[in-house]
Structures are given as structure tokens and as C-alpha cells.
Amino acid sequence: MSSPADQLTPSPSRPGFGVTARYWLLILPALALMIVCYIYPISKVLWLSVTEPRPGLDNYAMLATSASIQRMLATTARISVISTLITLVLAYIVSYALVHTSERVRRWMFLGVLVPLWISVLVRAFAWFVLLRREGLINNILISSGLVDAPLSLIWNETGVLIGMVHYMLPFGILPIYANMRDIDQRCVAAARGLGASRAVAFRQVFLPLSMPGVVGASILVFIFSLGFFVTPAILGGGKTLMIAEYIKVQILEIVRWGVGSMLAGTLLIIIGGLLVALARVVDLRKLFGSI
């Protein structure tokens, strides 16, 4: 019969199969899935970018020599920056209203924020196509109200692409900003008001700085999503507003230049990775993306 001291003493692990090994066995299926579904395809894309049509860095040299690629990258950067800025402004206003409204109104506002997330981006793009076309609802309202004499050109240009992208990105901007604003101690604003600050000064010097982590987090999500947009620019841009995702599709499926397409995909991957590394020095990305 074993003594109480023997019962409290942990049994020695079998050689070669300790706690660490058991943890690795548990995550092995997920690791294998990650390698097969993500790491191998990404490695293949990067390999093609330096081997097609011949080994070397000729494809990456086109970033500096091809006027069409430079023009497309400039269009992608411009639309992504503008859509991110517009989304952040609108998301901040909506988030501020969510934090300061009653519980009943907040529930209805959240429903309006979340419902678009449940609708396909393709359906939303076609809905905007119907609304923004020359004979659409928006042009009919503007003409009937006397604000314009002729239909405005709202699709097949950057205006239509920006409207569709901002509408899609708005929930991704609202949720991080609202989560940050919700945790702000409202007594700080009340203390500023109690010390004589006006409502505008208390907002600018107290509430706005405290809400900046949420704004930075939302800007990361929205800008990265904007860089890879495909469906909305393809439908509302009509092929006239070419962004990098659609350009890659044309290079691979229509012109069959795998080297150029994979080079652009690799460039997009490197840019996004660089942005995340740079922003990791400013904000805690693990906390931002939900890690404990």
C-alpha cells in the first residue's frame, strides 16, 4: 500500500513522450492543415514569381519599368486610402452614437450594422449597381428634386467603387472602434467637464485620444481588406477602375502570364506583411485580433 507522500509525487513521464510532445500531437492536425492549405500554396506562388517564364527577378523588375502596373498600383493605393479614410470617419460617428445611445436604440442600431455582414458581397454589389445606374433610384431622386439636370455617372468609375467598398467595410470599422469606446471610462470625460472644459474640448482632449487604439485597429483591418478587393471593383468599376486583385485575375486567366500574376500576388503579400510588422510596433496585434 502506497504512502500519502507517494500518492502526491507525480509519476515520471515516459521517455520521449512528455507533456510537450502531447501538446504537439494535439496541434499536429491543425499544423498539417495549415501547411497544406496555406503555406504550400503561398510558397508555390512565390516560387512561380521568380521562375516563370524564366528564373530571375525579371517579374519584380516590372514594378519599376511597367507603366501599366505602376498605374494599377497607384489606383489600388489611392482607392484603398480614400475608402479607409471615409470608412473610419463614418464608423467613428456610428460608434460614438452607439456608445451614447439608450440600450433599446443600440440593439436596433447593431442590427443595422450586422445585417450587411450576413449578405453576400456579390448581392450587395449588384444592389448598388441597380441603385447607382443612370436610370436608377438615386439619379431619379436627384433629377425629380431638381438638384441635377442630367443623370450623374455613379458607376463604372472610382465613385461607384468607393461607394460599394465603403458600404462593405463599414461594419469592419465600426466593431473595433465601438469595442474600444465601450471600455473608455466616461468619468474621465465627466471630470474634464467638471473642471470647466466645454463638450468639444473634453471630446478632443480626453475622449478622442482614448479612442485612438480602436481607430488604429480599424484602419488596419479596413486598409488590408481594401487592398485585396475584387468583386466590387469588378462590378461597379466595369473594368475601367482596375485594382490589383482584378489585374492578377486578368494576368493569370486571360493573358496567362503566371509569372506577372504571381509576382503581384507576392508583392501584395509582402506589403500586407510589412504593414502588420510596422503596426505591431504601435499596437498590440494579439489583443486587437482577439487573443488573450
Side-chain angles (χ1 to χ4, degrees):
M1 183 175 180
S2 61
S3 65
D6 294 336
Q7 293 177 355
L8 292 176
T9 303
S11 59
S13 300
R14 284 179 293 178
F17 199 74
V19 176
T20 305
R22 287 198 292 269
Y23 287 152
W24 277 106
L25 284 177
L26 287 174
I27 67 171
L28 196 58
L31 187 61
L33 188 66
M34 181 76 73
I35 292 174
V36 172
C37 296
Y38 293 98
I39 296 178
Y40 173 73
I42 290 174
S43 303
K44 188 69 175 179
V45 167
L46 294 176
W47 177 254
L48 286 175
S49 68
V50 294
T51 57
E52 289 287 341
R54 55 182 176 272
L57 298 176
D58 293 347
N59 292 322
Y60 286 93
M62 296 179 69
L63 292 172
T65 58
S66 173
S68 62
I69 290 179
Q70 292 174 357
R71 188 166 52 251
M72 176 274 300
L73 291 177
T75 301
T76 303
R78 182 175 62 253
I79 292 178
S80 298
V81 170
I82 295 174
S83 63
T84 300
L85 292 176
I86 296 175
T87 301
L88 289 179
V89 171
L90 296 177
Y92 197 94
I93 295 172
V94 175
S95 302
Y96 188 85
L98 278 168
V99 170
H100 292 88
T101 192
S102 64
E103 185 63 31
R104 180 172 176 274
V105 176
R106 185 181 299 121
R107 285 198 295 268
W108 284 105
M109 290 181 68
F110 257 119
L111 188 63
V113 171
L114 296 177
V115 164
L117 286 176
W118 305 331
I119 301 175
S120 165
V121 61
L122 187 63
V123 173
R124 280 192 275 175
F126 274 115
W128 278 115
F129 179 84
V130 172
L131 291 174
L132 297 175
R133 62 196 178 101
R134 292 179 67 84
E135 299 80 14
L137 178 63
I138 294 178
N139 267 321
N140 287 338
I141 292 175
L142 293 175
I143 293 175
S144 60
S145 61
L147 294 176
V148 297
D149 297 327
L152 299 178
S153 180
L154 299 176
I155 57 172
W156 297 336
N157 50 35
E158 287 191 15
T159 302
V161 173
L162 284 171
I163 292 174
M165 287 178 61
V166 169
H167 178 243
Y168 181 84
M169 293 296 180
L170 205 49
F172 296 100
I174 291 173
L175 295 177
I177 296 176
Y178 168 76
N180 174 257
M181 286 185 176
R182 184 190 54 190
D183 295 335
I184 294 177
D185 192 344
Q186 298 297 325
R187 291 175 297 182
C188 297
V189 181
R193 295 294 307 278
L195 293 174
S198 64
R199 184 183 294 272
V201 172
F203 171 79
R204 188 174 64 252
Q205 296 188 359
V206 178
F207 191 86
L208 184 60
L210 291 175
S211 63
M212 276 299 105
V215 175
V216 173
S219 67
I220 298 171
L221 293 177
V222 173
F223 186 71
I224 289 176
F225 275 132
S226 299
L227 286 175
F229 244 83
F230 175 72
V231 174
T232 301
I235 294 176
L236 298 178
K240 299 177 181 176
T241 305
L242 208 57
M243 295 182 68
I244 187 168
E246 189 176 2
Y247 195 88
I248 292 172
K249 188 269 287 185
V250 171
Q251 294 297 317
I252 292 179
L253 299 182
E254 297 181 13
I255 306 179
V256 197
R257 291 203 299 178
W258 281 85
V260 177
S262 56
M263 178 272 293
L264 291 171
T267 301
L268 184 62
L269 182 67
I270 293 170
I271 291 174
I272 292 175
L275 284 174
L276 290 176
V277 170
L279 288 168
R281 297 178 175 274
V282 181
V283 297
D284 187 350
L285 293 182
R286 291 178 301 177
K287 182 178 179 181
L288 176 66
F289 292 118
S291 177
I292 298 175

